[in-house]
Amino acid sequence: MDQKLSSICAEKPWNDPAAEPFIRIKDVTKTFGDFKAVDGVTLDIFRGELFCLLGGSGCGKSTLLRMLSGFETVTGGAIEIDGQDMAGVPPYERPVNMMFQSYALFPHMTVANNIAYGLKRDGMAKSEIKKRVEEMLTLVQLQVFAKRKPHQLSGGQRQRVALARALAKNPKLLLLDEPLGALDKKLREETQFELVRIQEELGVTFVVVTHDQEEAMTLATRIGVMDRGRIVQVGEPRDIYEFPQSRFVADFLGSVNLFEGVVSRDEENETAVRSPDVETELTISHAISCVLNQKVAYAVRPEKVRLTREKPAQDTNVCRVTVEDIAYLGGMSVYLLKLPTGKTMRVTSPNRDRHEDAITWDEEVYASWNAASGVVLVS
């Protein structure tokens, strides 16, 4: 990993109360008539981060990005970038550049001229423009394509040209709205790592909007999950995935099995949930802040669950299931299971061996997991 990104990941300024945020979003609201697109968002982003705003369509993430860029005005609240209040500051005077999902390349210009466009508009000397364009072409590894037109490039190459043009003016902050949305799955996965490499090399603060959970997990130092105009959880990718704070986050970020129930025990080293869908108690290995018989949801990720023909030697977190369907995906298999109550479960298992005695359709087996694998959600 690049030294700059290694440094920010090691220091984790978001955990330091004395650290100064590079971007401060304070109780920001944006309304369109009676519709509240962004609803009281407060968020700090630190210099050098690759921060992802993640959410479904219409959650307010792109509107928040456009307010950072200055293309939308703030209805209420305030935005500061590098210590400067952005109220009344037009887009062209902000230390910001934006890369759009459509890339918006000039079709009649070569790759080099597309990258140079903003520099020419700023009146930079020709020798400096040439040097900067060469630097950007090297950065995105498109030196041999400098004289081509956009229609002569692949989707991934056009994406890199747009990125080079956005970075050419050396912005303090780069905003990216669904930057990989137009690419096919394989190319998108490859380009994610390329985007991280470029951000690491430059150390520029990136704020990326995406609806793709895997993309956010791959790219981000931290993720802000949005729902109906609000930030519902902020954290590092692993923390948000492993420790969601609500049903919405657990369900939105990856696959999850949710069991509705009530708290039956809440002790220092264990909390138990009783669910009508499971014969045994569901437990986690720590206490939570709740009362007995409080309604909660118990969540466990599909990859945390084991499938066995023999009943495990444990009294909790085990249930009888019938295999309804199997999807073989090469490196892993996905099992759709039905409990005696009719509820369905999802389990993913890596295909480590080429064994012939694998669990198959219509078998009755046991699903089980460790107490440390579960999460109790009170909201």
Side-chain angles (χ1 to χ4, degrees):
M1 182 181 289
D2 181 87
Q3 187 175 358
K4 292 174 183 175
L5 192 61
S6 296
S7 175
I8 192 170
C9 289
E11 293 171 3
K12 296 185 178 180
W14 46 88
N15 292 333
D16 180 3
E20 282 292 319
F22 178 63
I23 300 170
R24 291 182 187 269
I25 300 172
K26 302 177 184 177
D27 197 26
V28 165
T29 298
K30 178 63 181 180
T31 58
F32 297 96
D34 295 332
F35 176 68
K36 194 172 282 188
V38 175
D39 187 6
V41 168
T42 294
L43 177 65
D44 289 339
I45 299 173
F46 294 84
R47 191 183 302 274
E49 275 205 82
L50 202 166
F51 191 96
C52 279
L53 291 169
L54 173 66
S57 298
C59 72
K61 58 188 186 298
S62 291
T63 301
L64 186 56
L65 198 75
R66 289 176 65 83
M67 286 191 286
L68 280 169
S69 68
F71 291 121
E72 294 285 356
T73 57
V74 173
T75 303
I79 293 175
E80 292 181 8
I81 299 176
D82 201 15
Q84 181 185 359
D85 190 341
M86 292 291 108
V89 179
Y92 56 85
E93 290 185 5
R94 299 189 180 202
V96 173
N97 215 335
M98 189 163 181
M99 179 177 157
F100 298 95
Q101 182 178 2
S102 64
Y103 308 149
L105 299 176
F106 298 111
H108 62 287
M109 291 185 183
T110 63
V111 166
N113 285 336
N114 263 284
I115 296 172
Y117 180 78
L119 305 177
K120 292 177 180 177
R121 290 287 301 268
D122 288 349
M124 182 182 284
K126 286 185 178 181
S127 59
E128 289 299 310
I129 291 175
K130 182 180 179 182
K131 180 181 177 183
R132 185 63 177 163
V133 169
E134 288 173 353
E135 288 173 356
M136 291 296 100
L137 287 169
T138 301
L139 179 71
V140 298
Q141 300 176 356
L142 289 177
Q143 301 95 313
V144 298
F145 299 97
K147 294 183 179 180
R148 290 195 185 182
K149 302 285 182 65
H151 72 274
Q152 297 173 307
L153 305 175
S154 69
Q157 289 164 346
R158 288 195 295 272
Q159 186 265 353
R160 283 187 278 161
V161 175
L163 181 61
R165 185 178 64 183
L167 291 168
K169 295 177 67 174
N170 198 25
K172 292 181 180 179
L173 170 64
L174 183 63
L175 309 175
L176 303 98
D177 191 0
E178 301 280 3
L180 310 180
L183 307 182
D184 62 58
K185 180 176 173 57
K186 184 175 182 180
L187 183 56
R188 187 164 65 245
E189 290 173 352
E190 293 172 355
T191 309
Q192 287 167 8
F193 290 101
E194 185 69 8
L195 192 62
V196 171
R197 178 192 68 80
I198 290 169
Q199 194 271 343
E200 289 173 359
E201 189 168 327
L202 295 178
V204 175
T205 306
F206 280 22
V207 177
V208 179
V209 156
T210 181
H211 68 277
D212 188 308
Q213 299 96 325
E214 289 186 11
E215 186 169 294
M217 298 279 285
T218 302
L219 294 176
T221 52
R222 288 189 303 152
I223 297 170
V225 183
M226 293 193 71
D227 179 37
R228 291 177 289 184
R230 293 179 175 270
I231 297 276
V232 293
Q233 188 171 346
V234 176
E236 296 170 47
R238 182 183 179 86
D239 291 339
I240 288 188
Y241 184 82
E242 298 288 357
F243 304 103
Q245 294 173 359
S246 66
R247 290 173 174 85
F248 173 81
V249 174
D251 195 35
F252 185 78
L253 204 70
S255 297
V256 69
N257 297 298
L258 288 173
F259 300 94
E260 300 293 336
V262 296
V263 176
S264 54
R265 284 184 290 117
D266 188 15
E267 302 167 355
E268 182 179 354
N269 297 318
E270 185 177 75
T271 299
V273 173
R274 185 174 63 252
S275 171
D277 291 315
V278 185
E279 296 167 331
T280 65
E281 283 186 318
L282 305 174
T283 59
I284 60 172
S285 53
H286 59 83
I288 63 173
S289 178
C290 68
V291 296
L292 291 182
N293 295 316
Q294 179 175 339
K295 290 184 178 180
V296 295
Y298 185 100
V300 61
R301 298 288 186 187
E303 71 275 9
K304 310 291 187 187
V305 182
R306 300 179 297 271
L307 292 181
T308 57
R309 290 190 173 97
E310 300 296 324
K311 184 176 181 180
Q314 61 188 74
D315 297 325
T316 64
N317 301 335
V318 59
C319 48
R320 291 182 296 118
V321 294
T322 302
V323 180
E324 278 211 321
D325 209 349
I326 305 171
Y328 178 78
L329 304 180
M332 58 180 269
S333 290
V334 180
Y335 295 85
L336 296 183
L337 314 167
K338 180 156 282 190
L339 282 74
T341 58
K343 182 178 177 63
T344 58
M345 279 187 71
R346 186 184 184 97
V347 173
T348 58
S349 179
N351 296 319
R352 295 190 180 95
D353 304 309
R354 295 176 177 173
H355 48 72
E356 297 179 358
D357 194 30
I359 290 171
T360 188
W361 285 267
D362 299 326
E363 277 200 70
E364 187 173 281
V365 295
Y366 291 91
S368 61
W369 58 93
N370 300 324
S373 299
V375 179
V376 173
L377 306 171
V378 296
S379 62

